[in-house]
Amino acid sequence: MNMRLPNHLLLLLFCLPVAFNTPLAFALKSDKNQPTKLSSDRADFNDVTQEYILTGKVVIIKGSILIKGAKAVIIVDPEGYQQVTVKGDANELATFTQQLDKPDPEFIDGEGDLIFYEAKKDQLLLSGQAYTNRRKGLRSIDKLVADEINYDLFNEEYRAVSKELNKPTRSVLSPRQNTKIELQNTKK
């Protein structure tokens, strides 16, 4: 009998051992209380609706969080929390980097056609050609590729989804020694 498990069950079976074998590493707690710095070629602000539209070479910095893209829409809710949507363009994907709270600095890098960051829930969504890479310096530790990656920044939890039946999510977990890891066909 030929039985195929659905992708979400395969991912669960794959992630359970990872959850118990990966040391905890959280995002910098100080990022939450940092101001958000915006830079772009053009910026349109509406103080009534609290909507900010940035276009061209967008750079958003909040503590160790760095998000780059071609266009961004930032909405500030009545409580002061930000929802940030950043898109790439035909030449580059939107990118994200954040330092993890570790004695020996580690970083999480990500990219996708679209990046959505919700400050209130500390959630990040990478969509379309989504890719994350946990690294120490230039050495990759773990990599993940999917159509969509949901990332809880302060609990270091991921959920990866592939939208096509025959297109699985792909992950590489390196041993905790100095070894180089490669993930086939991860980039354009």
Side-chain angles (χ1 to χ4, degrees), residues 92-106:
E92 280 188 277
L93 297 172
T95 63
F96 166 85
T97 298
Q98 184 177 28
Q99 183 175 345
L100 301 176
D101 201 359
K102 304 270 290 180
D104 203 9
E106 288 183 15

PDB file of all heavy atoms in Angstrom, residues 92-106:
ATOM      1  N   GLU A  92      14.858  42.624  -6.675  1.00  0.00           N
ATOM      2  CA  GLU A  92      15.260  42.125  -5.361  1.00  0.00           C
ATOM      3  C   GLU A  92      14.057  41.752  -4.516  1.00  0.00           C
ATOM      4  O   GLU A  92      13.022  42.401  -4.574  1.00  0.00           O
ATOM      5  CB  GLU A  92      16.045  43.203  -4.600  1.00  0.00           C
ATOM      6  CG  GLU A  92      17.487  43.330  -5.010  1.00  0.00           C
ATOM      7  CD  GLU A  92      18.225  44.274  -4.074  1.00  0.00           C
ATOM      8  OE1 GLU A  92      18.153  45.487  -4.275  1.00  0.00           O
ATOM      9  OE2 GLU A  92      18.868  43.751  -3.143  1.00  0.00           O
ATOM     10  N   LEU A  93      14.233  40.724  -3.698  1.00  0.00           N
ATOM     11  CA  LEU A  93      13.221  40.354  -2.726  1.00  0.00           C
ATOM     12  C   LEU A  93      13.321  41.286  -1.521  1.00  0.00           C
ATOM     13  O   LEU A  93      14.355  41.929  -1.304  1.00  0.00           O
ATOM     14  CB  LEU A  93      13.432  38.909  -2.267  1.00  0.00           C
ATOM     15  CG  LEU A  93      13.291  37.824  -3.335  1.00  0.00           C
ATOM     16  CD1 LEU A  93      13.719  36.477  -2.782  1.00  0.00           C
ATOM     17  CD2 LEU A  93      11.871  37.768  -3.863  1.00  0.00           C
ATOM     18  N   ALA A  94      12.275  41.361  -0.725  1.00  0.00           N
ATOM     19  CA  ALA A  94      12.330  42.077   0.540  1.00  0.00           C
ATOM     20  C   ALA A  94      13.178  41.234   1.500  1.00  0.00           C
ATOM     21  O   ALA A  94      13.150  40.004   1.448  1.00  0.00           O
ATOM     22  CB  ALA A  94      10.927  42.287   1.089  1.00  0.00           C
ATOM     23  N   THR A  95      13.950  41.887   2.385  1.00  0.00           N
ATOM     24  CA  THR A  95      14.832  41.163   3.305  1.00  0.00           C
ATOM     25  C   THR A  95      14.607  41.591   4.748  1.00  0.00           C
ATOM     26  O   THR A  95      14.146  42.697   5.021  1.00  0.00           O
ATOM     27  CB  THR A  95      16.319  41.382   2.948  1.00  0.00           C
ATOM     28  OG1 THR A  95      16.633  42.769   3.095  1.00  0.00           O
ATOM     29  CG2 THR A  95      16.627  40.914   1.532  1.00  0.00           C
ATOM     30  N   PHE A  96      14.985  40.691   5.653  1.00  0.00           N
ATOM     31  CA  PHE A  96      14.808  40.892   7.085  1.00  0.00           C
ATOM     32  C   PHE A  96      16.017  40.307   7.808  1.00  0.00           C
ATOM     33  O   PHE A  96      16.496  39.239   7.454  1.00  0.00           O
ATOM     34  CB  PHE A  96      13.537  40.161   7.531  1.00  0.00           C
ATOM     35  CG  PHE A  96      13.417  40.005   9.018  1.00  0.00           C
ATOM     36  CD1 PHE A  96      12.874  41.019   9.776  1.00  0.00           C
ATOM     37  CD2 PHE A  96      13.841  38.859   9.652  1.00  0.00           C
ATOM     38  CE1 PHE A  96      12.764  40.890  11.150  1.00  0.00           C
ATOM     39  CE2 PHE A  96      13.739  38.709  11.019  1.00  0.00           C
ATOM     40  CZ  PHE A  96      13.186  39.740  11.769  1.00  0.00           C
ATOM     41  N   THR A  97      16.503  41.009   8.829  1.00  0.00           N
ATOM     42  CA  THR A  97      17.573  40.499   9.695  1.00  0.00           C
ATOM     43  C   THR A  97      17.274  40.921  11.130  1.00  0.00           C
ATOM     44  O   THR A  97      16.815  42.033  11.360  1.00  0.00           O
ATOM     45  CB  THR A  97      18.953  41.061   9.285  1.00  0.00           C
ATOM     46  OG1 THR A  97      19.257  40.654   7.966  1.00  0.00           O
ATOM     47  CG2 THR A  97      20.058  40.581  10.207  1.00  0.00           C
ATOM     48  N   GLN A  98      17.543  40.018  12.077  1.00  0.00           N
ATOM     49  CA  GLN A  98      17.434  40.359  13.493  1.00  0.00           C
ATOM     50  C   GLN A  98      18.463  39.575  14.286  1.00  0.00           C
ATOM     51  O   GLN A  98      18.708  38.399  14.023  1.00  0.00           O
ATOM     52  CB  GLN A  98      16.036  40.056  14.044  1.00  0.00           C
ATOM     53  CG  GLN A  98      15.908  40.497  15.495  1.00  0.00           C
ATOM     54  CD  GLN A  98      14.520  40.296  16.061  1.00  0.00           C
ATOM     55  OE1 GLN A  98      13.783  39.414  15.639  1.00  0.00           O
ATOM     56  NE2 GLN A  98      14.162  41.101  17.041  1.00  0.00           N
ATOM     57  N   GLN A  99      19.061  40.237  15.267  1.00  0.00           N
ATOM     58  CA  GLN A  99      20.016  39.574  16.152  1.00  0.00           C
ATOM     59  C   GLN A  99      19.255  38.804  17.219  1.00  0.00           C
ATOM     60  O   GLN A  99      18.232  39.254  17.726  1.00  0.00           O
ATOM     61  CB  GLN A  99      20.936  40.595  16.822  1.00  0.00           C
ATOM     62  CG  GLN A  99      21.994  39.942  17.690  1.00  0.00           C
ATOM     63  CD  GLN A  99      22.979  40.943  18.265  1.00  0.00           C
ATOM     64  OE1 GLN A  99      23.054  42.073  17.815  1.00  0.00           O
ATOM     65  NE2 GLN A  99      23.725  40.520  19.257  1.00  0.00           N
ATOM     66  N   LEU A 100      19.748  37.620  17.552  1.00  0.00           N
ATOM     67  CA  LEU A 100      19.165  36.811  18.611  1.00  0.00           C
ATOM     68  C   LEU A 100      19.876  37.102  19.926  1.00  0.00           C
ATOM     69  O   LEU A 100      21.044  37.482  19.939  1.00  0.00           O
ATOM     70  CB  LEU A 100      19.277  35.319  18.252  1.00  0.00           C
ATOM     71  CG  LEU A 100      18.588  34.913  16.955  1.00  0.00           C
ATOM     72  CD1 LEU A 100      18.841  33.446  16.651  1.00  0.00           C
ATOM     73  CD2 LEU A 100      17.102  35.209  17.000  1.00  0.00           C
ATOM     74  N   ASP A 101      19.177  36.916  21.014  1.00  0.00           N
ATOM     75  CA  ASP A 101      19.707  37.203  22.341  1.00  0.00           C
ATOM     76  C   ASP A 101      20.530  36.013  22.830  1.00  0.00           C
ATOM     77  O   ASP A 101      20.018  35.123  23.501  1.00  0.00           O
ATOM     78  CB  ASP A 101      18.549  37.499  23.292  1.00  0.00           C
ATOM     79  CG  ASP A 101      18.990  38.274  24.517  1.00  0.00           C
ATOM     80  OD1 ASP A 101      20.196  38.562  24.637  1.00  0.00           O
ATOM     81  OD2 ASP A 101      18.133  38.598  25.347  1.00  0.00           O
ATOM     82  N   LYS A 102      21.778  35.984  22.443  1.00  0.00           N
ATOM     83  CA  LYS A 102      22.692  34.890  22.782  1.00  0.00           C
ATOM     84  C   LYS A 102      24.013  35.512  23.242  1.00  0.00           C
ATOM     85  O   LYS A 102      24.376  36.585  22.787  1.00  0.00           O
ATOM     86  CB  LYS A 102      22.974  34.017  21.557  1.00  0.00           C
ATOM     87  CG  LYS A 102      21.763  33.422  20.882  1.00  0.00           C
ATOM     88  CD  LYS A 102      21.395  32.111  21.431  1.00  0.00           C
ATOM     89  CE  LYS A 102      22.426  31.086  21.054  1.00  0.00           C
ATOM     90  NZ  LYS A 102      22.160  29.780  21.541  1.00  0.00           N
ATOM     91  N   PRO A 103      24.792  34.819  24.084  1.00  0.00           N
ATOM     92  CA  PRO A 103      26.090  35.351  24.501  1.00  0.00           C
ATOM     93  C   PRO A 103      27.041  35.512  23.311  1.00  0.00           C
ATOM     94  O   PRO A 103      27.791  36.470  23.230  1.00  0.00           O
ATOM     95  CB  PRO A 103      26.631  34.313  25.482  1.00  0.00           C
ATOM     96  CG  PRO A 103      25.554  33.318  25.695  1.00  0.00           C
ATOM     97  CD  PRO A 103      24.466  33.561  24.722  1.00  0.00           C
ATOM     98  N   ASP A 104      26.985  34.570  22.388  1.00  0.00           N
ATOM     99  CA  ASP A 104      27.773  34.621  21.161  1.00  0.00           C
ATOM    100  C   ASP A 104      26.803  35.017  20.049  1.00  0.00           C
ATOM    101  O   ASP A 104      25.927  34.221  19.699  1.00  0.00           O
ATOM    102  CB  ASP A 104      28.381  33.238  20.894  1.00  0.00           C
ATOM    103  CG  ASP A 104      29.598  33.290  20.022  1.00  0.00           C
ATOM    104  OD1 ASP A 104      30.095  34.398  19.739  1.00  0.00           O
ATOM    105  OD2 ASP A 104      30.060  32.211  19.607  1.00  0.00           O
ATOM    106  N   PRO A 105      26.866  36.242  19.512  1.00  0.00           N
ATOM    107  CA  PRO A 105      25.813  36.742  18.621  1.00  0.00           C
ATOM    108  C   PRO A 105      25.445  35.805  17.466  1.00  0.00           C
ATOM    109  O   PRO A 105      26.308  35.293  16.769  1.00  0.00           O
ATOM    110  CB  PRO A 105      26.390  38.048  18.082  1.00  0.00           C
ATOM    111  CG  PRO A 105      27.401  38.463  19.074  1.00  0.00           C
ATOM    112  CD  PRO A 105      27.960  37.189  19.652  1.00  0.00           C
ATOM    113  N   GLU A 106      24.138  35.584  17.331  1.00  0.00           N
ATOM    114  CA  GLU A 106      23.556  34.854  16.207  1.00  0.00           C
ATOM    115  C   GLU A 106      22.501  35.755  15.584  1.00  0.00           C
ATOM    116  O   GLU A 106      21.968  36.645  16.247  1.00  0.00           O
ATOM    117  CB  GLU A 106      22.895  33.549  16.677  1.00  0.00           C
ATOM    118  CG  GLU A 106      23.854  32.490  17.100  1.00  0.00           C
ATOM    119  CD  GLU A 106      23.158  31.192  17.492  1.00  0.00           C
ATOM    120  OE1 GLU A 106      21.979  31.007  17.180  1.00  0.00           O
ATOM    121  OE2 GLU A 106      23.822  30.360  18.132  1.00  0.00           O
TER     122      GLU A 106
END
